[in-house]
Amino acid sequence: MPHNEELVVTTSTVRYPVIVEAGALERLPHHLASLRLDGALWLVSDSAVYPRHGLALEERLRGAGYTVYSRIIPSGEASKNLDQLSQLYSWMLDGGVERRDTVLALGGGVVGDIAGFAAASILRGIALVQLPTTLLAMVDAAVGGKTGVNHPLGKNLIGAFYQPRLVLADTQTLRTLPSRELRAGWAEVIKHGVIRDAGLFDQLEHWQAEYGALSIDLGILSHQTPITDIIRRAVAVKVAVVSADEREQGERIILNYGHTVGHALEAAMGYGMLLHGEAVAIGMHAEARIAAAIGLCTPELVERQQQLLSAYGLAAAFPVHADREAILALMLRDKKVERKRIRWVLPTALGAVAVRDDVPVELVRETLLGLSS
Ligand SMILES: NC(=O)c1ccc[n+]([C@@H]2O[C@H](COP(=O)([O-])OP(=O)(O)OC[C@H]3O[C@@H](n4cnc5c(N)ncnc54)[C@H](O)[C@@H]3O)[C@@H](O)[C@H]2O)c1
């Protein structure tokens, strides 16, 4: 993909740019002005991100003449709940929020999801700008309009599709991201290569060969690596898929690769044990093995994917304590299961997947049992 090609999500109802650049936050006032977002700005961030990136941003926006209100939620998944959401509503309503105002979501997927849903629902919806600061949020959560919070009965059960007016990912913010979080984000980048962009996969292999293990350490950002280009290319996959299927009625399911096993693994291990991306990496390995077992892809693909995952610091091995029968049971209860048939997204070649609902449960069980710990 050419260096500066503009990424634009285009659906039947919306059109918005996705900007991926080092230093992009410096130009936020300019982008807001060109979108005519000139009301007050309601900046939502978390306790880890705000001191590192929020304060400077706020100052820049005030300097450009904007009225900015800020709200910091505690860092972590536990904040993505109805209580925090209700506090966000009170903060905005007390502060006199108006229809012409904009919510700025500065943070990872947690901030993006809860602030996004607040924007979707307050006054029946005000403008939303996503400013992702984790690799996972840049390549996945911030693009596509899924917003929401968790309910005591399950993750992401309350929410809405609500598309932002702009997504602006400043790759410089990744410099402060803890390395485990960064690694978890690479799982989604690699996933995008496997499902839709073999060239991205090649590039990730090449980058790894050139820079070695350092490539997962963002210290390398200072060495003129093509990280921003790679992230932009991974984002382009999400942009293309969401543009083709805004509401997950068709093609968008391909983004679920690695997630059928991954989600069940997260739940079986207890949330918080594995990061989402870590579970997805293990899920991708298991699901590629299933694809190979039914003759859909070659064992070489499974091997290449495993090598790449491990080169980016992601284990493909099953956690020792994971109960495989419990994981199978959880998969059969997943919300994406229809009439007891799991809809698998399985690789057929690098850059291509097929959706299959005819994989025998026994074969899945055997594959899970055959995975090494
Ligand atoms: N809406 C979607 O389509 C979608 C897609 C995938 C995941 N999600 C959701 O996203 C959430 C996970 O997102 P996440 O992995 O970004 O988690 P997160 O938002 O919890 O961020 C991970 C950690 O990194 C910290 N952090 C974020 N940016 C930082 C930075 N630049 N420097 C230092 N610390 C930083 C955060 O405070 C947090 O502790 C989950 O709730 C998941 O359900 C949503």
Side-chain angles (χ1 to χ4, degrees), residues 46-49 52-53 75-77 80 107-111 113 133-134 136-137 140-143 145-147 150 155-156 173-174 176-178 181 188 238 252 276:
D46 78 20
S47 51
V49 177
R52 295 175 172 87
H53 306 288
S75 149
E77 183 72 24
K80 217 176 89 173
V110 165
V111 167
D113 280 9
T133 62
T134 64
L136 179 131
D140 190 2
V143 179
K146 280 192 186 174
T147 69
N150 301 325
K155 273 194 72 168
N156 296 325
T173 60
L174 298 177
T176 59
L177 189 65
E181 296 289 346
E188 301 285 350
K238 178 97 193 229
R252 196 159 170 171
H276 178 67

Side-chain angles (χ1 to χ4, degrees), residues 76 185 215 266:
S215 63
E266 273 182 289

